[in-house]
């Protein structure tokens, strides 16, 4: 695919997501977006991103990064770019407040005022409990030349606003992850904060499975907040952990997976990495996107009772999912490119 050529801009794509906060799932979304762009003919030197930690992001990805909290930096980044890509994640939701919706809507508006085309891929939408949140979400996605979502619930929410969206798996499913042997003597366990009752049920279910199978349990944190939650669950006696590993890359996860024979967890990207690694797994669905993933791959759910592990998706199915992500992503880039070039 050809890159943008019509206007003299430094960057073809400005990436916007929850980048630079130390959450592995969001960093993998950034990595996947960059890889998908490269596969469509957009090299890293033609991509920039907005980050909470610009210097770290530049070192990690080899692209230009701008401070997401600086209005001046946002303006500079937009002025130097042809399109703005909402690159995966649950950006428009108001679980705790409407601040996330306000921030991302504001950046979309700045981009549109400066003439950028806006597109979105791998999005989850909701929950949206406030009228303001719904209005901001409608305004942001209504400005997109193409929208891709990662779960049916999000497509239904946008559909209720009169906005069409393509459905494809999470962007991270497009990343190459080596299959683990699955012959270790550990269960990997992940819990996320903010859903204590569910985290406790997941911990109890994991511990019951470990005891009945004669296995140890290794805690896997995708963020510092996960690390604290796992430590809290262990100190409460709900799960006995052989240790807690904070993983900061898919390579870190693969090293842990090689020692494991299964996985039980809450975070979406923990479950995706476990599935791609070929580990038998069980999930704890704290929101629609996780529930949708578990339904898509027939992943067993734990509720604190007897927990069983489901077979992971086959390597062939994983390849099909990656191809589906790439197809919808390429459609989005074509939409942004054609409108930018006036074709």
């Amino acid at each position: 695919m050809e890159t943008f050529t019509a206007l003299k801009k430094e960057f073809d794509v400005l990436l916007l997501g929850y980048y630079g906060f130390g959450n592995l799932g969001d960093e993998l979304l950034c990595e996947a977006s960059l890889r998908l762009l490269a596969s469509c003919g957009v090299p890293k030197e033609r991509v920039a991103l907005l980050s909470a930690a610009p210097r770290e992001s530049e070192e990690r990805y080899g692209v230009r990064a701008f401070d997401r909290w600086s209005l001046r930096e946002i303006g500079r980044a937009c002025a130097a770019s042809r399109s703005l890509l909402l690159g995966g994640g649950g950006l428009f939701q108001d679980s705790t407040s409407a601040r996330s919706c306000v921030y991302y809507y504001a950046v979309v508006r700045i981009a549109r005022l400066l003439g950028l085309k806006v597109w979105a891929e791998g999005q989850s939408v909701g929950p949206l409990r406030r009228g303001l949140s719904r209005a901001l979400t409608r305004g942001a996605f209504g400005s997109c030349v193409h929208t891709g979502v990662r779960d049916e619930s999000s497509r239904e929410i946008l559909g209720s606003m009169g906005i069409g969206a393509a459905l494809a798996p999470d962007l991270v499913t497009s990343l190459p992850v080596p299959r683990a042997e699955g012959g270790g003597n550990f269960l990997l366990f992940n819990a996320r904060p903010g859903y204590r009752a569910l985290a406790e049920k997941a911990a109890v279910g994991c511990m019951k499975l470990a005891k009945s199978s004669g296995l140890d349990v290794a805690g896997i944190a995708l963020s510092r907040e996960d690390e604290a939650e796992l430590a809290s669950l262990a100190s409460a006696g709900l799960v006995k952990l052989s240790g807690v590993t904070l993983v900061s890359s898919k390579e870190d996860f693969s090293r842990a997976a090689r020692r494991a024979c299964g996985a039980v967890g809450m975070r979406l990207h923990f479950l995706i990495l476990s599935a791609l690694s070929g580990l038998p797994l069980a999930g704890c669905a704290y929101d629609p996107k996780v529930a949708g993933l578990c339904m898509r791959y027939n992943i067993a759910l734990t509720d604190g009772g007897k927990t069983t592990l489901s077979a992971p998706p086959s390597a062939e199915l994983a390849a099909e999912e990656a191809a589906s992500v790439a197809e919808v992503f390429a459609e989005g880039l074509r939409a942004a490119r054609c409108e930018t070039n006036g074709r």
Side-chain angles (χ1 to χ4, degrees), residues 280-330:
L281 69 164
C284 181
Y286 66 89
D287 77 354
K289 66 177 181 287
V290 178
L293 177 81
C294 291
M295 289 182 62
R296 188 181 187 95
Y297 295 142
N298 295 315
I299 297 171
L301 296 175
T302 180
D303 60 1
K306 182 179 179 181
T307 298
T308 58
L309 301 180
S310 300
S314 66
E316 292 76 16
L317 177 57
E320 292 174 7
E321 297 287 80
S324 176
V325 172
E327 180 181 2
V328 172
F329 190 95

Side-chain angles (χ1 to χ4, degrees), residues 127-182:
L128 299 170
R129 301 186 176 97
R130 300 166 177 84
L132 173 63
S133 302
R134 290 187 63 84
L136 295 173
T137 300
R138 183 185 298 110
F141 287 105
S143 299
C144 291
V145 297
H146 184 274
T147 298
V149 296
R150 61 187 180 183
D151 57 82
E152 185 61 43
S153 173
S154 297
R155 185 157 69 168
E156 290 175 358
I157 290 173
L158 291 180
S160 72
M161 300 176 181
I163 299 170
L167 179 64
D170 185 90
L171 300 181
V172 173
T173 60
S174 69
L175 290 174
V177 177
R179 305 282 283 191
E181 296 298 328

Side-chain angles (χ1 to χ4, degrees), residues 47-275:
V47 182
L49 63 89
L50 293 170
S51 171
R55 185 172 301 176
E56 289 86 344
S57 292
E58 288 184 346
E59 292 175 355
R60 180 168 185 150
Y61 302 115
V63 301
R64 179 75 179 278
F66 294 84
D67 185 354
R68 66 174 271 145
W69 299 125
S70 167
L71 183 59
R72 181 180 180 182
E73 286 277 284
I74 293 171
R76 287 177 58 203
C78 288
S81 304
R82 296 190 178 105
S83 74
L84 176 72
L85 168 59
L86 302 176
L91 307 183
F92 284 85
Q93 51 79 29
D94 61 0
S95 296
T96 55
S97 75
R99 285 179 296 180
S100 180
C101 296
V102 170
Y103 174 81
Y104 291 107
Y105 172 80
V107 178
V108 168
R109 288 301 301 155
I110 291 170
R112 293 296 297 124
L113 288 171
L114 292 176
L116 281 72
K117 299 302 178 183
V118 181
W119 51 304
E121 303 299 335
Q123 294 293 307
S124 285
V125 181
L128 299 170
R129 301 186 176 97
R130 300 166 177 84
L132 173 63
S133 302
R134 290 187 63 84
L136 295 173
T137 300
R138 183 185 298 110
F141 287 105
S143 299
C144 291
V145 297
H146 184 274
T147 298
V149 296
R150 61 187 180 183
D151 57 82
E152 185 61 43
S153 173
S154 297
R155 185 157 69 168
E156 290 175 358
I157 290 173
L158 291 180
S160 72
M161 300 176 181
I163 299 170
L167 179 64
D170 185 90
L171 300 181
V172 173
T173 60
S174 69
L175 290 174
V177 177
R179 305 282 283 191
E181 296 298 328
N185 59 350
F186 281 89
L187 285 175
L188 302 184
F189 175 62
N190 166 264
R192 63 153 296 162
Y195 301 87
R196 182 67 185 200
L198 288 174
E200 290 179 354
K201 290 181 178 180
V204 170
C206 181
M207 201 63 222
K208 287 181 179 178
L209 176 61
K211 286 181 177 180
S212 66
S213 306
L215 300 170
D216 292 325
V217 180
I220 299 295
L222 273 59
S223 68
R224 291 291 182 188
E225 292 78 11
D226 288 10
E227 200 172 28
E229 185 71 3
L230 288 166
S232 176
L233 292 167
S235 66
L238 296 170
V239 63
K240 182 179 179 182
L241 300 176
S242 62
V244 176
T245 300
L246 176 63
V247 295
S248 59
S249 67
K250 67 180 191 296
E251 290 76 18
D252 285 349
F253 185 90
S254 292
R255 281 189 285 272
R258 286 196 292 269
R259 302 168 51 230
C261 61
V264 178
M266 295 179 67
R267 280 204 185 270
L268 177 74
H269 292 109
F270 171 84
L271 294 172
I272 289 175
L273 289 172
S274 298

